[in-house]
Amino acid sequence: MADTLNSLVLSVNETMNEIGMPQITEDQCRQFVGNGAKVLIREALKAGGDEELTRFEEAFEAYRRIFDANCTYEVKPYSGIPEMLRQMKKRGIKLGVLSNKPDRQAVHVVSEIFGGEIFDVVQGQKEGVPRKPDPTAALSIAGQFGIGPKETLYIGDSEVDGATGKAAGMDTILVSWGFRSKEVLREASPEWIVDRAEEIMDIIRGVKR
């Protein structure tokens, strides 16, 4: 829903700089994200030469602090997303966000970028709750809306999201404007891959099959 790449690159590289490790590129960051903050830092450390992850605890503690201060840095909605969300709300559709980013930062980013009235539930990664692609959190959010997986449309931008939707038994849309190539998205076998936000509304209206 929002382009967060710059905030992630900045936070990882400030972390790496603080502990005296090499920085990562934007392309590397695109590949490392999607499985949560711990995986992101592990991959950044390995890319910098710490294959044994001897600096992990130090780096992760620094990253949590730095990302907390920079989680909205240059974050902006993708094209057409605010309009799409407003159309969904007018239709009475319940909207939720499920992120593998830490919960505190996920809630902050969504509130800062979209306000507090659009999404009914916003949930990031929490201790004790398995992260995506485990379907537990996705099914929990659907349950909070009083609906089952067959009544839920799961929208994401990565193979992790594709696996989450599949594991939850939810029809899944993957969008091509995120961090993964179409080839990677196709391998996840979603029901749809879309290139524009308007196509999501077509699917909801039953126009696009």
Side-chain angles (χ1 to χ4, degrees), residues 146-196:
I147 59 176
K150 293 303 180 185
E151 303 168 282
T152 306
L153 186 61
Y154 188 100
I155 304 169
D157 67 356
S158 72
E159 74 282 7
V160 175
D161 289 310
T164 305
K166 189 180 295 294
M170 299 172 178
D171 283 346
T172 302
I173 300 173
L174 296 182
V175 305
S176 64
W177 57 79
F179 294 166
R180 298 293 193 266
S181 68
K182 271 193 172 181
E183 289 73 19
V184 170
L185 300 182
R186 289 190 191 100
E187 290 176 4
S189 301
E191 278 66 35
W192 301 274
I193 297 174
V194 301
D195 299 316
R196 298 177 298 111

Side-chain angles (χ1 to χ4, degrees), residues 16-37:
M16 301 297 276
N17 184 61
E18 183 172 305
I19 67 171
M21 294 282 292
Q23 298 191 348
I24 64 171
T25 66
E26 282 191 8
D27 284 341
Q28 285 176 313
C29 192
R30 284 179 186 275
Q31 297 304 312
F32 298 163
V33 299
N35 285 289

Side-chain angles (χ1 to χ4, degrees), residues 2-15 24 26 29 33 40-41 63 65-76 101 105-106 109 113 179:
D3 185 352
T4 61
L5 181 62
N6 288 346
S7 67
L8 294 165
V9 173
L10 174 74
S11 298
V12 171
N13 282 337
E14 286 202 2
T15 298
I24 64 171
E26 282 191 8
C29 192
V33 299
L40 173 58
I41 294 303
Y63 177 78
R65 167 172 42 81
I66 291 167
F67 185 60
D68 191 51
N70 294 284
C71 61
T72 60
Y73 174 76
E74 293 188 353
V75 174
K76 57 187 180 297
K101 292 183 177 67
Q105 287 83 19
V109 169
I113 304 306
F179 294 166

Side-chain angles (χ1 to χ4, degrees), residues 88-89 91-96 118-121 144-147 153:
M88 289 180 174
K89 291 298 283 187
R91 285 175 163 261
I93 297 171
K94 292 287 188 180
L95 298 174
I118 294 291
F119 291 99
D120 301 282
V121 173
Q144 292 176 57
F145 294 159
I147 59 176
L153 186 61

Side-chain angles (χ1 to χ4, degrees), residues 45-93:
L45 288 172
K46 287 191 285 187
D50 183 14
E51 294 286 347
E52 303 300 318
L53 301 177
T54 59
R55 310 289 299 277
F56 175 76
E57 295 300 331
E58 175 189 4
F60 187 61
E61 186 61 34
Y63 177 78
R64 290 176 62 185
R65 167 172 42 81
I66 291 167
F67 185 60
D68 191 51
N70 294 284
C71 61
T72 60
Y73 174 76
E74 293 188 353
V75 174
K76 57 187 180 297
Y78 285 111
S79 176
I81 293 300
E83 296 81 3
M84 180 195 75
L85 294 173
R86 286 194 290 269
Q87 290 182 55
M88 289 180 174
K89 291 298 283 187
K90 286 181 181 178
R91 285 175 163 261
I93 297 171

